[in-house]
Amino acid sequence: MSKFFVVFKREYAQVVKKKSFLVGIFLTPALMAAFVMLPAFLARQKASETEHLAVIDQSGSGIGAAFAKALERYFIDDEETVPYYAVDRIIELDRADSSGRAAVEDSLRLLINDKELKYFLVVGEDASGGEADLYLVTNSDNFRSISWFEQRLSDLLSARRLEKSNVNLSIDSVLSLTQPIDLTIQDAKGESIPFMVKYFSALVFVGIMFGMMIGYGQLVMRSVIEEKNSRIMEVLISSVSPFQLMLGKIIGLGAATLTQVAIWFALGAVMFVMRSAVSVDPSIDRIVFDPVIIVFFILFLVSGYLLFSTLFALVGSIVNTEKEAQNFVAPITILMVLPFLLGIAVVQEPNSTLAVALSLFPFTAPTMMMMRVVFIAPTVAEHSLFSGIAAEATLSFLIVVAAVAGMIWLTSRIFRVGILMYGKRPTLPEIIKWVKY
Amino acid sequence: MFLKLDSICKTYDDKVAVDNLSLEVPQGVLYGIIGPNGAGKTTTIRMIMDITAPDSGKVLIDGKRLDRHFRNRVGYLPEERGLYRKMTLLEIMLYMAELKGCPARNVKKNCDKWLKRMDLLEYKDKKVEELSKGMQQKLQFITTILHDPDLIILDELFSGLDPLNIELIKDILLELKRAGKTILFSTHVMEQAEKLCDHICMISRGRKVIDGSMAEVKSRFGKNSIQLEVVGDGGFVSSLAGIKKVTDFNNYLELELEQNADTDAILKSVAQRVSVRRFALVEPSLYSIFIDMAGGEPPDPGSAGEVADV
């Protein structure tokens, strides 16, 4: 039996046999789902108590009172009908009374500060004329309430403007005539995938890659550090070559990675069959069944893992403690999370120069290219396997493969010396000497 | 297996660790490399194990250069001990044997045999971290010999072992030697080497001081020493005629004689002053030979069984 395989077997078993492996398999998707769904769930929750408002009306035409009436909206709480909004006071002021308005505003601001009022609206003298001198004072960021106020005010003021003009139409018919249009978006294929569907799919694919690369990559590093620290390294090296040891470790833990992803795929398939039970946009099929996305997900997962775990093995071989290693882990992590950090910029313009450049640089390529593939591949007109994005992804993959080969060479040179060096962390010139040695 | 080192040298930066060292280890002997800490013992052993490459010179096993096959026939216990803390005893033994090319099914029954002999059988399925330091040392010794190697290399063998376990391991080493295995070990504790070795090589500051079979080395120095044990202070003996040097071992004194010294006269003079419990004409100890040959660089004489490496 090859010694590589002996090391491979141990490293694989050490991970897969642990309870934490099983926990990770089920806990991670659960956390991920919670992370995605919780904000949406919370946002859909009904308001739990009435919000109190005040209005300062300087328009002289009763806009404040009309607004208070327009706000009528109720929710049911314990079988009781409770108003969403309560306009506690409407303060009507004379148009010219600017000092009076300032005094009232100051006193209302204090109420806001003491949380007795949530909002107060100021309707200025010109509001009814159409030139809006309107503002809302609040410390709240409840965008649903604020947009509700905006809509009501906008309807109210439109009606007023219409009254003043000489157009002989009812308000309702004007509103229906000026109904804003909802632009349907189609891609080159003539279909449409909502932005959020693409965005969350990309986050899931890239998130799994990131998690595997950082999680198992660091496991490689820790395993090397453990063998250095426990001094078992010297016995190992008298039995296997450093190269066999390094590859056995990287590929053994890589096999554990693939096991975990394969189980997730199987779980995913089960959930996918039941997807009609949950309200998932049907366009998700076009992402999940796109061959380019599936193929490159596997290719980038494997090549990205190999690239980063080799880098982590390099770090493990030159440091003495995990604490020392943390200095190296931070910059490596930043390379990996770059697509997340640039997230919105990339998804809005997946073909921007920056996005393309980062998908050709080996250490950002796996995650960045994957992000772009998820966004572009389902939208191209031709079969995605023969599209430009598939060609680009292939180029990017080849660059990563070349980098993996280079990293394995470099790391194996440093590894065989570094693993037997205890004590002082080597300087860069020393490490360069090891490479040549 | 026999082993030959042919003028090997190793320099770290500006420090010469091993300087033109040659030695031969015949098959089926217990061979001791002896010298104080920092003499170059570990570096020499690491070059034999092909962990570090010599700057110049050759290491030959059965007359051939080191190869991959050689690794499987050697058992190696490094000076710095360590095992995977989270593996069970059985797992780690099988893993180490497999790394030496022995399939697990072939060594399984030997595992029990050795665990029993080392009094560790009840811990077979426990994790290594549950063992005491001394037990871990014994376990590591098992992993060194479990794959039935022909050449066994033990760096600072006795460090960290209590006297009882030293006896246990000595017995095993003698059995292995009788079975034709070649055993090479290093130590800085001369008394132990003196009791155990067939052959020795003394090194100091990376250079060979003297080597050969124990009998050869000692006879080269002749019976020119007196071991003296007295009741009371024996410090005065250095002033007696015919005494070249006195080594005070606290419990007894070793007197190195000048050529043609009159031993009867010495005994008489000593007996006049103090009561003599023992007066024996002997071969010199390895310790005094070392002092003699290495030239005034005394290793610590009394430190039985522990290492103070930094």
Side-chain angles (χ1 to χ4, degrees):
Chain A
M1 187 163 41
S2 154
K3 292 190 180 171
F4 158 78
F5 189 67
V6 176
V7 177
F8 171 93
K9 212 177 62 180
R10 188 196 93 92
E11 297 290 342
Y12 182 76
Q14 284 297 300
V15 172
V16 177
K17 271 194 333 200
K18 268 194 210 143
K19 280 187 208 89
S20 57
F21 181 72
L22 211 61
V23 172
I25 278 180
F26 293 101
L27 199 63
T28 314
L31 281 177
M32 228 168 175
F35 188 70
V36 171
M37 287 176 186
L38 204 62
F41 177 73
L42 285 178
R44 249 176 244 158
Q45 286 286 295
K46 60 180 186 185
S48 56
E49 61 184 82
T50 305
E51 299 183 324
H52 293 268
L53 292 89
V55 179
I56 302 175
D57 187 359
Q58 231 175 352
S59 66
S61 55
I63 291 181
F67 174 67
K69 191 166 184 304
L71 277 184
E72 267 182 26
R73 196 183 178 194
Y74 298 92
F75 62 89
I76 310 289
D77 187 37
D78 283 340
E79 315 239 327
E80 250 184 290
T81 312
V82 184
Y84 267 102
Y85 306 108
V87 180
D88 293 349
R89 53 188 107 176
I90 300 170
I91 301 138
E92 298 200 346
L93 292 173
D94 195 66
R95 282 185 186 220
D97 191 1
S98 58
S99 61
R101 170 170 149 185
V104 176
E105 275 191 36
D106 283 345
S107 66
L108 289 183
R109 273 181 222 279
L110 284 177
L111 291 179
I112 295 253
N113 205 39
D114 297 342
K115 298 195 174 63
E116 280 176 43
L117 269 186
K118 200 155 182 188
Y119 315 91
F120 72 84
L121 177 75
V122 181
V123 183
E125 49 182 321
D126 290 329
S128 59
E131 299 304 315
D133 176 19
L134 282 167
Y135 53 89
L136 187 73
V137 177
T138 181
N139 283 346
S140 156
D141 290 308
N142 187 335
F143 57 87
R144 280 179 306 136
S145 286
I146 292 171
S147 84
W148 180 258
F149 300 158
E150 270 172 349
Q151 276 173 36
R152 299 288 79 74
L153 279 169
S154 141
D155 288 354
L156 208 65
L157 291 180
S158 299
R160 298 268 165 136
R161 283 181 212 131
L162 200 64
E163 261 169 35
K164 281 195 178 164
S165 71
N166 295 319
V167 182
N168 191 16
L169 280 170
S170 77
I171 291 165
D172 285 345
S173 58
V174 169
L175 287 179
S176 75
L177 284 173
T178 56
Q179 181 83 41
I181 57 143
D182 201 0
L183 199 56
T184 315
I185 297 156
Q186 287 191 351
D187 50 45
K189 223 174 212 165
E191 297 172 53
S192 79
I193 303 174
F195 173 79
M196 283 319 248
V197 171
K198 284 197 245 180
Y199 189 59
F200 278 113
S201 310
L203 284 189
V204 168
F205 280 116
V206 179
I208 290 177
M209 279 176 63
F210 169 72
M212 296 290 112
M213 290 189 317
I214 189 114
Y216 283 90
Q218 284 200 75
L219 225 49
V220 171
M221 182 183 81
R222 277 203 215 109
S223 161
V224 175
I225 294 174
E226 187 207 345
E227 282 166 6
K228 268 185 89 165
N229 270 341
S230 70
R231 302 291 194 256
I232 199 169
M233 195 57 98
E234 214 168 310
V235 188
L236 296 179
I237 294 309
S238 72
S239 305
V240 297
S241 71
F243 190 67
Q244 283 172 322
L245 180 69
M246 184 183 91
L247 276 194
K249 225 175 243 315
I250 289 173
I251 296 177
L253 292 171
T257 313
L258 287 181
T259 308
Q260 184 161 355
V261 173
I263 295 173
W264 280 347
F265 266 37
L267 286 178
V270 172
M271 297 208 320
F272 196 76
V273 173
M274 308 187 311
R275 73 190 179 288
S276 51
V278 277
S279 55
V280 177
D281 193 289
S283 61
I284 187 90
D285 290 17
R286 294 194 32 225
I287 292 176
V288 175
F289 290 125
D290 191 299
V292 168
I293 293 179
I294 300 305
V295 167
F296 281 101
F297 173 69
I298 293 166
L299 291 181
F300 282 124
L301 175 68
V302 171
S303 62
Y305 164 78
L306 287 177
L307 186 67
F308 279 102
S309 59
T310 312
L311 187 59
F312 276 119
L314 173 70
V315 172
S317 72
I318 60 175
V319 300
N320 296 296
T321 59
E322 283 201 34
K323 214 171 157 192
E324 250 180 80
Q326 288 315 312
N327 301 330
F328 294 91
V329 171
I332 296 175
T333 313
I334 288 175
L335 284 179
M336 282 191 236
V337 294
L338 217 54
F340 290 110
L341 297 180
L342 299 171
I344 291 294
V346 172
V347 298
Q348 283 186 350
E349 216 43 81
N351 285 323
S352 66
T353 317
L354 180 66
V356 172
L358 287 176
S359 52
L360 294 177
F361 175 64
F363 288 96
T364 48
T367 41
M368 184 56 86
M369 194 68 224
M370 193 61 220
M371 194 102 166
R372 294 180 57 219
V373 164
V374 174
F375 264 84
I376 299 170
T379 65
V380 292
E382 65 270 47
H383 192 291
S384 61
L385 270 177
F386 307 105
S387 62
I389 188 67
E392 259 191 86
T394 308
L395 175 65
S396 157
F397 171 67
L398 292 177
I399 290 174
V400 178
V401 168
V404 167
M407 272 307 292
I408 288 181
W409 177 83
L410 180 74
T411 301
S412 67
R413 308 285 300 171
I414 295 171
F415 190 82
R416 73 208 159 109
V417 186
I419 48 176
L420 292 171
M421 293 285 167
Y422 312 123
K424 193 176 77 77
R425 198 207 299 160
T427 59
L428 191 62
E430 278 173 320
I431 294 175
I432 292 169
K433 213 172 83 188
W434 297 352
V435 175
K436 294 181 190 155
Y437 170 69
Chain B
M1 278 172 115
F2 66 93
L3 176 69
K4 188 175 173 190
L5 305 190
D6 189 3
S7 28
I8 53 168
C9 298
K10 183 76 189 178
T11 308
Y12 290 114
D13 294 327
D14 50 353
K15 190 181 169 290
V16 180
V18 175
D19 188 4
N20 202 23
L21 181 68
S22 297
L23 56 87
E24 278 180 56
V25 182
Q27 171 156 0
V29 299
L30 260 164
Y31 193 104
I33 296 182
I34 303 161
N37 293 330
K41 302 184 298 282
T42 297
T43 308
T44 304
I45 286 178
R46 282 184 168 191
M47 284 190 281
I48 296 173
M49 291 310 301
D50 197 24
I51 289 169
T52 21
D55 297 337
S56 65
K58 282 183 287 190
V59 177
L60 299 169
I61 311 283
D62 289 348
K64 282 175 292 191
R65 296 298 278 267
L66 298 166
D67 62 4
R68 243 197 289 170
H69 178 62
F70 160 75
R71 291 173 193 270
N72 287 351
R73 294 171 62 198
V74 181
Y76 171 50
L77 181 72
E79 178 180 3
E80 304 231 40
R81 312 287 152 78
L83 294 164
Y84 293 105
R85 299 173 53 77
K86 298 282 177 197
M87 285 175 98
T88 68
L89 272 63
L90 183 65
E91 280 173 347
I92 209 160
M93 286 190 293
L94 295 181
Y95 181 55
M96 290 300 178
E98 279 187 328
L99 281 181
K100 290 290 186 188
C102 286
R105 59 179 183 281
N106 294 2
V107 286
K108 253 188 180 145
K109 59 177 190 300
N110 281 342
C111 289
D112 281 8
K113 187 188 92 183
W114 284 114
L115 284 174
K116 198 166 175 199
R117 178 126 192 220
M118 290 293 187
D119 210 14
L120 289 172
L121 194 55
E122 57 183 309
Y123 297 97
K124 186 176 167 183
D125 295 310
K126 295 257 163 56
K127 285 187 178 163
V128 170
E129 60 190 351
E130 293 172 47
L131 298 185
S132 74
K133 205 98 197 184
M135 288 170 169
Q136 290 190 21
Q137 297 258 18
K138 289 197 283 185
L139 175 63
Q140 190 154 15
F141 181 75
I142 300 177
T143 63
T144 309
I145 56 170
L146 185 63
H147 60 286
D148 194 26
D150 296 320
L151 175 62
I152 300 162
I153 295 181
L154 311 157
D155 198 2
E156 289 295 349
L157 168 63
F158 298 111
S159 70
L161 286 173
D162 61 43
L164 228 63
N165 289 327
I166 288 181
E167 284 309 311
L168 185 62
I169 285 176
K170 265 184 193 168
D171 288 347
I172 294 171
L173 288 181
L174 286 175
E175 278 168 36
L176 290 169
K177 188 196 92 166
R178 279 173 202 132
K181 313 291 185 194
T182 308
I183 300 161
L184 173 81
F185 72 92
S186 79
T187 182
H188 66 282
V189 187
M190 307 244 172
E191 291 85 339
Q192 277 163 349
E194 188 156 6
K195 282 184 231 163
L196 197 60
C197 293
D198 304 317
H199 281 61
I200 55 157
C201 173
M202 287 186 171
I203 59 174
S204 170
R205 292 182 182 144
R207 289 200 185 153
K208 181 161 77 181
V209 175
I210 189 169
D211 71 338
S213 74
M214 188 68 90
E216 250 171 57
V217 169
K218 288 213 168 172
S219 68
R220 219 181 293 176
F221 285 80
K223 290 201 179 189
N224 63 344
S225 286
I226 292 170
Q227 263 187 18
L228 177 65
E229 226 179 299
V230 297
V231 180
D233 185 9
F236 65 89
V237 291
S238 53
S239 59
L240 297 177
I243 307 280
K244 196 155 99 189
K245 210 163 99 200
V246 176
T247 315
D248 194 342
F249 284 97
N250 199 21
N251 288 332
Y252 73 94
L253 301 154
E254 194 168 304
L255 317 177
E256 201 180 310
L257 303 176
E258 279 167 6
Q259 275 190 335
N260 309 320
D262 183 351
T263 49
D264 289 349
I266 294 170
L267 174 59
K268 242 181 246 168
S269 344
V270 174
Q272 273 168 8
R273 314 252 313 241
V274 286
S275 156
V276 177
R277 294 181 62 179
R278 186 155 71 108
F279 185 94
L281 203 54
V282 292
E283 296 166 332
S285 68
L286 283 183
Y287 179 69
S288 48
I289 293 175
F290 183 86
I291 302 269
D292 228 37
M293 297 294 295
E297 184 209 20
D300 41 346
S303 61
E306 107 287 316
V307 201
D309 275 15
V310 185

